[in-house]
Amino acid sequence: MCGIVGYIGKNDSIKPVIEGLSRLEYRGYDSAGISYKESSDIITLKKEGKLDNLKSEIKKHNINSKIAIGHTRWATHGEVNDVNAHPHQNELFAIVHNGIIENADRIKSELSSKYSYKSQTDTENFLNLLTSKYEKLNDVRSAVLETFKEIEGNSAFVVMCKLTNKLWAIKRSAPLVCGIDAATRDLYISSDPYALVGFANKIYFPQNEVLCECDPSKVNDEIQFFELDGSASHRYELQKKDLNLNVSEKGIYEHYMLKEIHEQPTLIKSLVDYYTTGEGLESLKSIDNKFKRVHIAACGTALHAGYLVKNFLEKENKVPVQIDFASEFRYRNPLLSSDELGVFISQSGETADTLACQELCSESKLKTLSIVNVEGSTLFRDCNYNLLIKAGVEIGVASTKAFTQQVLVGLILSKYLKNELNNDDFKNELSSLSSKVNEVLDRKDEIKQIANEIYNKNGFIFTGRGDHYPIALEGALKLKEIAYVHAEGYAAGELKHGPISLIDENMVNIALVTPDLFDKTFSNAQEVKARKGIMVIVGTENNEQLSNIADYYFGLDYSGLSSTKPVLTNVVLQLLSYYIAKLKGTDIDKPRNLAKSVTVE
Ligand code: M6R
């Protein structure tokens, strides 16, 4: 979703801000803008569409500036256009904002007679309120604090003022970091530490409602923190060790998604080492395992991984598990008890609904555990225990490698709790999984061929049973997300309770017919075939029954795999979605309307 980058120092401010914004492009956005200070003027340039539009605009100006703030906007209030893009500026201030101001209408009704509104955004309310506070207080820090006190909802703001060479940043339940390059003393602010890699080598994570004031003139004390009452604050964390945030390049691949799919065999292997010998083992050992029940909450792909984690914990560990969409869990008044464990699965660790569930569990005195990719993310910092999925930076909006790693970390947790993590059978299974994923990647032309045959069909129903039901859901999500076609995932046994009425010669059924519950799933596939549906079967290899009814058949060798079969099947579906999307010509890495990290509810 929206991205923020700010710079203040001795050097050109435009370069790091634009570089930071390009690193945040993967999060999804629809316009971009920058405000910079030149002499004592603030100049704002902003453009609808891709960052390249803004870059072209910047090239028209001969800029000499040492202070800038930039923003990529994912529209919430007001349509996508230049005016609604951030930053928003008036005679005194320029500001950027991530999140939603929930009391925007009330502020506007109080201020609109005195201050002008140029955009349809909620953000301008902060700008006008800030101006009104400044007129009374004549001090920017106090004005920012007083303004923020009146803002309801979860947001992060960065403020630049025409009158001083400082930047201010403050947030409530929205990501925000600030950093310093210890050598040059240049200062940075961002909504994502990834934007600061290679620029700042000391990164601070302020807590909610702590103001960061960046002032390069304060030698050795350039970043200061303040509470809402103006007193000095110590509620921030300094990054303790290097964050695992290498900048990712596409390399030989046409898209990040394809590259990330190909990274999976290697990641699977190193995950085993990490959890059997490395730091990962220490994180498993830190978990107090005396919980009576588990609550899992997550969104989208991470939730699908959660369904498998639930299956593992219930089947293998006999622990009851409750699982919910994070957006539902937080409002359904779940029955929570302090002898239970809250498990939150997330690639970004910044998904607003998932964070709210973690908070809810913490308030109810549950211990909380994250299965998360981004070390240092809010979820990572807020949970009692963290199991990193070690997927590296995932740039494609469509989550692929993170799903695989989330499922495997769930399985690793389950094995650890059963004292079976070091069993050779388990290690061999993961090593075999890695090789089999490689084999699937080597057969990608077969998958491309199937995509060629079906990409222009009307609709797609993915079906599976048991551990393959979450894979049916995930396969359908991936396809609709990047190919913009209607796709649904169903438990195979549910088809006849309604959706089967959709089956005709234009409807594709991607049936996952695998060794588990084979007969049951096979008969569901026959029911579809009898109604002339187009049958794509992904599952057990070399099976005559399957080849007889399949229009297209992709067989998989599941030998040696037990709980990890669904992970292998899912790689086929990742590639199928990818090739269908490619044939449709969509923007695969940044599909329309989507954001990589969903920081509003
Ligand atoms: O960062 P998170 O894992 O918390 O994100 C959750 C979902 O927004 C995410 O998985 C989304 O569904 C993906 N774009 C799916 O590919």
Side-chain angles (χ1 to χ4, degrees):
M1 289 199 145
C2 304
I4 290 177
V5 185
Y7 168 91
I8 178 164
K10 296 176 201 66
N11 295 299
D12 165 36
S13 62
I14 306 300
K15 194 166 164 267
V17 170
I18 292 298
E19 167 65 23
L21 291 181
S22 8
R23 298 216 195 136
L24 301 188
E25 274 192 289
Y26 78 100
R27 297 166 62 106
Y29 70 104
D30 39 50
S31 54
I34 189 165
S35 288
Y36 56 92
K37 240 186 114 181
E38 220 168 28
S39 323
S40 51
D41 281 333
I42 295 179
I43 296 150
T44 296
L45 307 173
K46 43 194 195 172
K47 282 280 158 208
E48 176 183 338
K50 296 289 176 204
L51 191 58
D52 281 344
N53 300 349
L54 176 67
K55 287 184 191 162
S56 310
E57 187 60 30
I58 289 174
K59 275 199 193 120
K60 296 180 197 158
H61 299 254
N62 187 12
I63 304 174
N64 177 11
S65 159
K66 313 271 186 271
I67 310 177
I69 55 177
H71 191 265
T72 45
R73 173 178 186 247
W74 188 88
T76 57
H77 288 58
E79 63 190 55
V80 177
N81 58 33
D82 292 355
V83 178
N84 288 336
H86 296 213
H88 292 278
Q89 189 200 333
N90 62 17
E91 306 73 44
L92 271 182
F93 299 105
I95 63 162
V96 288
H97 166 218
N98 285 1
I100 291 176
I101 301 178
E102 288 176 359
N103 55 339
D105 289 347
R106 205 167 65 233
I107 299 175
K108 189 167 185 176
S109 67
E110 284 161 17
L111 296 181
S112 57
S113 56
K114 190 160 174 220
Y115 300 95
S116 71
Y117 283 79
K118 299 179 202 131
S119 74
Q120 301 162 307
T121 63
D122 52 340
T123 305
E124 267 194 297
N125 290 291
F126 186 97
L127 182 66
N128 285 334
L129 192 56
L130 175 66
T131 310
S132 77
K133 298 287 181 196
Y134 181 77
E135 284 164 1
K136 285 187 202 115
L137 300 164
N138 210 21
D139 173 69
V140 185
R141 183 195 303 159
S142 315
V144 174
L145 290 170
E146 288 307 308
T147 304
F148 192 71
K149 279 187 201 169
E150 289 185 27
I151 296 293
E152 291 172 14
N154 298 336
S155 286
F157 298 91
V158 179
V159 174
M160 170 194 277
C161 176
K162 187 176 161 173
L163 308 173
T164 65
N165 291 338
K166 296 183 195 173
L167 288 176
W168 294 264
I170 191 162
K171 63 122 186 180
R172 184 183 303 117
S173 296
L176 190 73
V177 296
C178 49
I180 184 164
D181 178 330
T184 63
R185 312 306 294 176
D186 287 342
L187 307 175
Y188 301 86
I189 296 171
S190 181
S191 53
D192 186 337
Y194 183 55
L196 305 190
V197 176
F199 292 110
N201 44 17
K202 223 169 150 191
I203 297 184
Y204 297 87
F205 296 83
Q207 291 184 18
N208 284 340
E209 305 190 335
V210 171
L211 177 75
C212 322
E213 187 174 277
C214 298
D215 178 355
S217 71
K218 293 231 156 45
V219 181
N220 291 328
D221 204 10
E222 293 94 334
I223 303 180
Q224 296 192 328
F225 299 89
F226 299 93
E227 296 291 339
L228 288 184
D229 64 5
S231 60
S233 174
H234 304 285
R235 290 192 305 120
Y236 59 85
E237 278 171 38
L238 179 59
Q239 145 212 353
K240 294 192 184 68
K241 56 181 181 140
D242 281 350
L243 298 174
N244 176 21
L245 290 171
N246 296 331
V247 176
S248 175
E249 306 288 346
K250 268 191 287 206
I252 56 165
Y253 297 97
E254 194 177 341
H255 295 98
Y256 278 107
M257 182 181 175
L258 192 60
K259 176 187 179 227
E260 288 160 3
I261 291 173
H262 279 79
E263 283 170 13
Q264 294 175 110
T266 312
L267 290 172
I268 294 169
K269 276 202 175 136
S270 30
L271 193 69
V272 184
D273 294 342
Y274 180 73
Y275 277 105
T276 50
T277 56
E279 262 177 59
L281 187 57
E282 293 310 309
S283 35
L284 284 167
K285 284 184 184 164
S286 73
I287 300 169
D288 174 1
N289 58 11
K290 288 184 206 66
F291 44 85
K292 297 254 164 40
R293 187 162 77 137
V294 170
H295 296 271
I296 299 181
C299 303
T301 289
L303 180 73
H304 299 155
Y307 289 133
L308 283 162
V309 178
K310 170 186 161 78
N311 290 355
F312 301 148
L313 292 175
E314 291 196 332
K315 222 182 305 173
E316 303 285 330
N317 309 88
K318 310 294 174 216
V319 184
V321 181
Q322 188 82 41
I323 179 160
D324 288 87
F325 293 108
S327 54
E328 291 297 318
F329 181 88
R330 62 185 294 190
Y331 292 117
R332 76 166 170 82
N333 301 317
L335 297 174
L336 300 171
S337 146
S338 58
D339 54 5
E340 299 175 333
L341 177 73
V343 173
F344 307 96
I345 307 177
S346 175
Q347 189 286 125
S348 61
E350 299 295 353
T351 301
D353 283 318
T354 308
L355 293 179
C357 297
Q358 189 280 332
E359 203 178 324
L360 188 68
C361 285
S362 258
E363 282 164 7
S364 299
K365 308 272 180 285
L366 278 78
K367 289 278 191 260
T368 59
L369 179 150
S370 78
I371 295 182
V372 69
N373 197 27
V374 181
E375 193 176 353
S377 59
T378 308
L379 188 66
F380 178 92
R381 281 179 286 113
D382 289 353
C383 280
N384 301 95
Y385 319 118
N386 294 294
L387 298 180
L388 287 169
I389 64 166
K390 302 302 268 182
V393 177
E394 190 179 63
I395 300 284
V397 164
S399 188
T400 52
K401 59 177 180 171
F403 174 83
T404 294
Q405 302 291 97
Q406 286 161 350
V407 172
L408 294 180
V409 168
L411 183 59
I412 285 170
L413 171 65
S414 157
K415 293 286 176 192
Y416 171 78
L417 294 173
K418 268 184 96 183
N419 224 351
E420 287 180 2
L421 186 58
N422 271 305
N423 284 9
D424 285 345
D425 284 356
F426 180 58
K427 287 189 186 162
N428 292 342
E429 173 168 354
L430 289 187
S431 144
S432 171
L433 175 70
S434 163
S435 318
K436 285 172 196 290
V437 171
N438 257 327
E439 285 162 22
V440 169
L441 298 176
D442 287 344
R443 291 169 63 198
K444 54 180 173 286
D445 284 347
E446 286 173 54
I447 301 172
K448 207 187 273 181
Q449 192 52 39
I450 300 176
N452 258 316
E453 302 290 338
I454 60 172
Y455 79 96
N456 56 2
K457 298 298 173 203
N458 284 356
F460 297 79
I461 294 187
F462 290 68
T463 49
R465 277 178 183 258
D467 283 351
H468 276 86
Y469 166 53
I471 301 303
L473 295 177
E474 175 57 11
L477 174 65
K478 212 87 312 169
L479 184 61
K480 64 186 132 193
E481 173 174 38
I482 60 169
Y484 315 155
V485 294
H486 191 201
E488 294 299 336
Y490 281 101
E494 272 295 299
L495 267 200
K496 60 175 87 60
H497 299 288
I500 203 160
S501 65
L502 293 169
I503 303 292
D504 64 14
E505 56 283 354
N506 276 312
M507 179 63 76
V508 181
N509 177 206
I510 316 256
L512 312 178
V513 190
T514 67
D516 305 331
L517 295 166
F518 179 92
D519 293 339
K520 305 281 174 207
T521 323
F522 175 62
S523 58
N524 298 136
Q526 281 177 307
E527 289 156 9
V528 173
K529 188 66 195 167
R531 286 158 183 85
K532 301 196 167 43
I534 301 164
M535 180 60 62
V536 177
I537 293 190
V538 181
T540 310
E541 67 177 351
N542 302 328
N543 183 290
E544 215 177 300
Q545 285 173 296
L546 295 182
S547 60
N548 284 342
I549 65 162
D551 296 295
Y552 309 100
Y553 178 27
F554 192 92
L556 285 164
D557 168 18
Y558 291 110
S559 56
L561 302 190
S562 169
S563 306
T564 59
K565 287 188 212 79
V567 173
L568 181 66
T569 315
N570 188 53
V571 176
V572 180
L573 304 190
Q574 292 172 345
L575 286 167
L576 188 63
S577 297
Y578 174 80
Y579 288 119
I580 293 179
K582 205 164 162 227
L583 287 158
K584 295 208 160 254
T586 61
D587 190 351
I588 292 181
D589 283 334
K590 294 178 216 125
R592 69 183 179 200
N593 304 335
L594 290 178
K596 182 69 184 160
S597 171
V598 182
T599 50
V600 295
E601 53 173 302

